[in-house]
Amino acid sequence: MINGTTKADVALLVVAATPGEFEAGISTSGQTIEHSLLAFTLGVKQLIVCVNKMDHNSVNFSETRFNEIVREVSKYIKKIGYNPKQIPFIPISGWCGDNMSEKSNKMAWWNGPTLLEVLDSIKEPKRPLDKPLRIPLQD
């Protein structure tokens, strides 16, 4: 995770929408917290947040659950330095493919882009070509 993140131009944070799983990830020692903090600390400026498992029967493509998760994740990523207003949040179902490459008819409330559309819109960062070469090493 750390070695790959040092070379990344964008981070894709996948957050589970299922009750219990989301709460565990956003807790003090949860992976959602750890991964977003690592990405920011290691200089990843662009972040995309996917709220996955929207198809689970405990979530049932709920706009309310999606908005709850967006609020909670936004609070945290703002604390570490990201601007939540510039971060795309996308409700998806990786299992069923909803909002991955095509709009889902199961989430008629979602007017935003698909994951593929967001990935296609990533801005390539300016490379410091006038600076010395830096190569991360891992032992």
Side-chain angles (χ1 to χ4, degrees):
M1 159 79 194
I2 292 175
N3 194 27
T5 306
T6 61
K7 302 173 196 149
D9 294 330
V10 64
L12 179 61
L13 184 65
V14 181
V15 179
T18 49
E21 223 175 327
F22 168 70
E23 288 74 14
I26 202 80
S27 70
T28 311
S29 60
Q31 285 194 344
T32 302
I33 299 294
E34 289 178 8
H35 291 167
S36 54
L37 180 59
L38 272 174
F40 186 80
T41 303
L42 294 173
V44 179
K45 302 292 183 230
Q46 297 179 81
L47 179 68
I48 300 167
V49 180
C50 288
V51 180
N52 194 22
K53 299 187 181 181
M54 292 295 292
D55 60 306
H56 193 272
N57 39 350
S58 65
V59 179
N60 200 25
F61 301 100
S62 168
E63 180 180 10
T64 304
R65 180 64 171 165
F66 173 74
N67 290 334
E68 175 187 341
I69 291 168
V70 169
R71 269 191 311 277
E72 291 301 314
V73 173
S74 292
K75 278 191 243 176
Y76 180 72
I77 62 175
K78 184 175 184 176
K79 285 181 192 175
I80 61 173
Y82 286 111
N83 181 354
K85 292 178 181 168
Q86 295 178 340
I87 307 294
F89 286 81
I90 310 158
I92 65 168
S93 166
W95 183 259
C96 300
D98 292 284
N99 284 342
M100 300 284 278
S101 60
E102 295 177 6
K103 299 262 186 198
S104 171
N105 59 1
K106 297 171 189 151
M107 290 180 266
W109 51 266
W110 177 248
N111 296 319
T114 64
L115 175 57
L116 185 60
E117 290 168 344
V118 171
L119 290 172
D120 283 342
S121 71
I122 292 171
K123 296 176 185 90
E124 184 178 348
K126 186 177 178 188
R127 306 280 184 221
L129 300 174
D130 58 331
K131 306 279 185 197
L133 177 64
R134 291 178 42 185
I135 302 173
L137 299 174
Q138 182 177 0
D139 187 0

